[in-house]
Amino acid sequence: MTENWNGRSRAEPVAVGPPRRRMSRSDRMRADRIRRKRRVTRAFTLTLLVVVIVGAVFLGSKLWHGIFGGGGEDFAGDGVSDVVIQVQDGDSTTAIGETLAENKVVATVQSFVNAAAGNSAISAIQPGFYKLRTEISGASAVERLVDPGSRVGKLVIPEGRQLDDVRDVKTNAVTEGILTLVSKATCVDLDGAERCVAADELRQIAGSAPLSALAVPEWAVQPVTAMGADHRRIEGLIMAGAWNIDPSATPTEILSTLIGASATQYAQAGIQETATAMNLSPYQVLTVASLVQRESKPEDFAKVARVIYNRLAENRTLEFDSTVNYPLDRIEVATTDGDRAQGNPWNTYVRPGLPATPICSPSRPALVAAEQPAPGDWLYFVTIDMQGTTLFTRDYNQHLANIELAQRNGVLDSAR
């Protein structure tokens, strides 16, 4: 017992648990080191966490402003250099803005989106390629995009065109072929220097590039391979219609894009299934369609297709002047005996069956006619007047009479 300050006694405290061991000097030093190490580790961890958070905030802010803009960031002036950008099918205004920002046309996506707000012309912009300037304001980018003059790489291939230019024997007028049309579509003026992919470059690639690089469809590989290095091996594989050409693409890329997209459209139109049902290959159907296109007018497409199939079924030569003119790159109604005697892969006066390749890019109606020929037993046809009236018959003597009528009317078309 112990007395406290007022003289009263108090109980001594009772120890609980094992008696505490007195720490030696070395133990205290070791404990101090451990505590210091823990403090340093905690401080380093905290510092690292702060750095990560600050970095994340900074980078996030830069990314946000880079994509969506801060609202006030915008370029000014006439820009630095010309650049071609692509608007994809289905692109929203924001998607277009992202493309522009990626190509340094505008400072931020938001600057373009803000400038385009309420502009119906932007909403209606067509997929394709457009020439703009780098580092211009959002408003300038909108103005340039909706300007028809900014559109580049626009290609239109009329129905019935062949790869090479064709000259009319009577008038000397030249009809531009697909390769020339493609070449012109690639022309673009960038910072005062015009760049075009030459038709000769396209022609060379058409005859030399691997078929896989040209995206030739599987159903055309065998007949195309059989043509060797002749550029006309890809005849008919580029569909007539409207296309968008990237002016900065290589000749191989351009042809591959056109052939590949055409193959997709042919497939979507059901050419493979139809050809199988007709016991033909898709390439044969395409070739028949090209002959139909060149030999007749739309109202007679289905009948001419039937004449072709009837002649093939009876092992008759087709004897079409269009196949004589094709390798000569000309338009001539009255071919000569010498012309018709020429031996080449297309001349159906001397070659049995179909020509080696299509002779043009047929229209959709011509392709439908080749797939769905009219019923009939005709073997001959001839146009008898300047209005294009064409008579069909199976009887050869009747055909000769029709030829006389055509001659009296001054029509210089070849009889069938």
Side-chain angles (χ1 to χ4, degrees):
M1 301 290 287
T2 304
E3 287 189 356
N4 58 15
W5 63 274
N6 60 6
R8 296 178 181 179
S9 60
R10 59 183 177 84
E12 289 288 344
V14 179
V16 178
R20 281 188 275 179
R21 183 175 63 85
R22 184 179 180 85
M23 295 180 66
S24 68
R25 186 170 181 274
S26 62
D27 288 339
R28 287 196 300 272
M29 292 177 65
R30 186 182 302 109
D32 288 342
R33 287 197 300 270
I34 292 173
R35 283 194 294 271
R36 286 195 300 270
K37 186 175 181 180
R38 286 174 178 171
R39 285 197 297 270
V40 171
T41 301
R42 284 196 296 269
F44 176 77
T45 302
L46 181 60
T47 302
L48 182 61
L49 181 61
V50 170
V51 171
V52 170
I53 292 174
V54 171
V57 171
F58 176 76
L59 291 176
S61 176
K62 292 287 287 182
L63 181 61
W64 176 270
H65 283 70
I67 296 178
F68 300 104
E73 296 181 41
D74 206 356
F75 290 129
D78 296 329
V80 177
S81 59
D82 291 332
V83 64
V84 174
I85 64 100
Q86 182 178 14
V87 174
Q88 302 279 2
D89 189 16
D91 272 359
S92 64
T93 301
T94 300
I96 296 174
E98 290 172 351
T99 299
L100 297 178
E102 289 169 3
N103 287 274
K104 302 186 185 305
V105 174
V106 295
T108 65
V109 175
Q110 197 61 46
S111 66
F112 174 76
V113 172
N114 290 343
N119 191 319
S120 59
I122 282 291
S123 301
I125 193 168
Q126 296 297 306
F129 296 90
Y130 295 82
K131 186 180 83 168
L132 302 176
R133 298 277 289 173
T134 59
E135 299 188 19
I136 58 176
S137 67
S140 294
V142 170
E143 183 180 352
R144 288 173 181 265
L145 268 177
V146 300
D147 180 0
S150 296
R151 183 82 177 269
V152 295
K154 190 173 182 179
L155 169 67
V156 176
I157 300 176
E159 299 167 347
R161 292 293 174 95
Q162 65 186 62
L163 290 172
D164 296 324
D165 297 348
V166 174
R167 181 179 62 86
D168 189 309
V169 173
K170 287 186 176 180
T171 65
N172 266 337
V174 174
T175 300
E176 292 177 333
I178 293 173
L179 296 180
T180 296
L181 294 175
V182 172
S183 174
K184 288 188 172 183
T186 66
C187 292
V188 60
D189 187 312
L190 298 177
D191 299 316
E194 186 177 61
R195 177 193 181 280
C196 300
V197 175
D200 284 341
E201 289 183 76
L202 295 166
R203 188 173 290 105
Q204 189 272 328
I205 292 298
S208 64
L211 302 193
S212 57
L214 294 177
V216 172
E218 183 62 33
W219 48 262
V221 167
Q222 184 175 348
V224 171
T225 300
M227 291 301 298
D230 194 311
H231 71 279
R232 289 167 291 193
R233 63 183 183 160
I234 66 166
E235 189 73 80
L237 298 183
I238 299 176
M239 288 188 72
W243 302 96
N244 292 308
I245 300 295
D246 182 356
S248 65
T250 66
T252 302
E253 291 169 340
I254 291 170
L255 292 178
S256 176
T257 297
L258 291 171
I259 295 173
S262 296
T264 298
Q265 291 193 27
Y266 281 135
Q268 291 173 345
I271 190 173
Q272 290 166 278
E273 294 78 6
T274 302
T276 299
M278 299 176 70
N279 199 29
L280 297 170
S281 72
Y283 195 79
Q284 289 173 316
V285 173
L286 182 61
T287 303
V288 170
S290 73
L291 297 176
V292 167
Q293 184 75 51
R294 281 291 180 87
E295 285 287 328
S296 58
K297 294 187 175 182
E299 56 267 28
D300 294 319
F301 278 174
K303 287 185 175 182
V304 171
R306 174 52 64 193
V307 169
I308 293 172
Y309 290 128
N310 287 345
R311 288 190 178 187
L312 294 175
E314 296 189 12
N315 293 319
R316 295 172 180 255
T317 52
L318 295 180
E319 299 182 6
F320 286 173
D321 286 337
S322 57
T323 66
V324 174
N325 288 322
Y326 170 75
L328 302 177
D329 296 331
R330 72 180 190 189
I331 299 173
E332 172 63 88
V333 176
T335 58
T336 67
D337 291 339
D339 295 333
R340 294 190 292 272
Q342 290 189 27
N344 60 58
W346 297 276
N347 185 356
T348 55
Y349 277 91
V350 296
R351 174 189 171 91
L354 295 169
T357 72
I359 61 173
C360 70
S361 290
S363 62
R364 177 61 185 153
L367 189 59
V368 170
E371 295 173 333
Q372 303 172 22
D377 62 353
W378 313 293
L379 290 174
Y380 310 99
F381 65 91
V382 60
T383 300
I384 62 167
D385 57 32
M386 296 301 181
Q387 288 71 48
T389 304
T390 302
L391 299 181
F392 294 79
T393 183
R394 180 179 179 81
D395 183 80
Y396 183 66
N397 289 327
Q398 181 60 54
H399 180 55
L400 293 178
N402 293 339
I403 291 175
E404 290 182 6
L405 179 58
Q407 291 173 340
R408 289 198 300 269
N409 291 335
V411 178
L412 299 176
D413 202 351
S414 181
R416 302 288 169 255

